[in-house]
Amino acid sequence: MAQAQGAQRPQDLPQLTNWMPGVAGEDVFSGEECDRIIALRESEEMREGKAEGDAGGGRKIRDSRICWVQPRQELSWLFGKLLQVCQQVNQQHFGMELFGFTEPLQVSEYGEGSYFDWHLDLGNGRHSVRKLSFVVQLSDPADYEGGDLEIMAGPEPYAFPRGRGAMALFPSYVLHRVTPVTAGTRLSAVGWIGGPHPR
């Protein structure tokens, strides 16, 4: 088969040698830092509400409570650390072009019966610039049952570590879910790093 004029052979292009569908680090945030993030839910500058998705036919894909944390100077310790970790992991495993934060940070609360069914973080509008998704586990795993963060990167779901302060990162086009919480309360911080559309 003839190669188009000016086309590059795959072996001549920059290639990743350590790509993974998801990466997790244990103890990325300390217990004290997790407490500080949890305390942001009480801030007057945050709004709390119930987020619901629709998978079509009126079926709800999400049942959880959320609030939004806007980047601001006094939170540079948080947003700076998150961005640093995301950039480092991206360089090692994903190789995407990133802008940085394009949306506020979301603090999510999953009580008994709460869940987030299979979905992508990539979508229309502001969701179209999401390139890298991350989740920080804020709760002690002994405080709840169920509530596993899973990605579908093969024939079976892969569950990320549940340890307090663990951070999971994955491209926003990777299918993922939070399984139903069967007891207790699961708290997490969720965010996205944006970048240009593929060309």
Side-chain angles (χ1 to χ4, degrees), residues 7-191:
Q8 293 181 293
R9 299 178 305 169
Q11 60 267 33
D12 295 333
L13 297 171
Q15 298 180 14
L16 293 171
T17 59
N18 199 24
W19 184 88
M20 299 177 72
V23 178
E26 300 271 10
D27 301 317
V28 177
F29 284 81
S30 68
E32 180 184 355
E33 288 173 322
C34 290
D35 288 339
R36 292 174 70 184
I37 298 171
I38 291 171
L40 294 173
R41 296 184 305 152
E42 308 304 323
S43 171
E44 295 179 356
E45 295 155 353
M46 292 165 50
R47 292 173 296 171
E48 189 172 11
K50 190 170 185 177
E52 296 180 359
D54 191 337
R59 185 173 69 87
K60 192 169 66 168
I61 66 166
R62 179 177 189 173
D63 183 358
S64 63
R65 300 174 68 222
I66 65 169
C67 55
W68 298 97
V69 181
Q70 297 286 345
R72 48 189 188 268
Q73 183 60 40
E74 62 267 28
L75 295 180
S76 58
W77 66 271
L78 172 57
F79 284 88
K81 182 171 183 174
L82 288 168
L83 184 58
Q84 181 181 20
V85 173
C86 288
Q87 289 173 332
Q88 181 180 0
V89 170
N90 178 64
Q91 184 177 13
Q92 293 173 348
H93 298 286
F94 304 128
M96 296 185 286
E97 186 178 352
L98 301 177
F99 294 142
F101 282 96
T102 55
E103 301 176 64
L105 184 69
Q106 183 186 111
V107 178
S108 302
E109 178 181 309
Y110 290 80
E112 187 173 343
S114 295
Y115 62 92
F116 202 156
D117 209 347
W118 291 113
H119 67 285
L120 307 177
D121 286 345
L122 198 61
N124 290 318
R126 63 185 174 88
H127 298 166
S128 67
V129 298
R130 291 177 173 178
K131 298 294 272 296
L132 186 60
S133 300
F134 64 84
V135 179
V136 179
Q137 297 287 351
L138 302 177
S139 298
D140 188 304
D143 291 342
Y144 65 98
E145 296 175 6
D148 286 317
L149 172 63
E150 298 180 338
I151 58 172
M152 183 64 79
E156 298 293 333
Y158 167 78
F160 283 108
R162 295 165 55 98
R164 192 175 198 217
M167 185 172 176
L169 303 96
F170 49 91
S172 297
Y173 57 75
V174 171
L175 195 65
H176 60 286
R177 71 177 177 181
V178 176
T179 63
V181 172
T182 57
T185 301
R186 173 188 180 270
L187 298 170
S188 61
V190 180

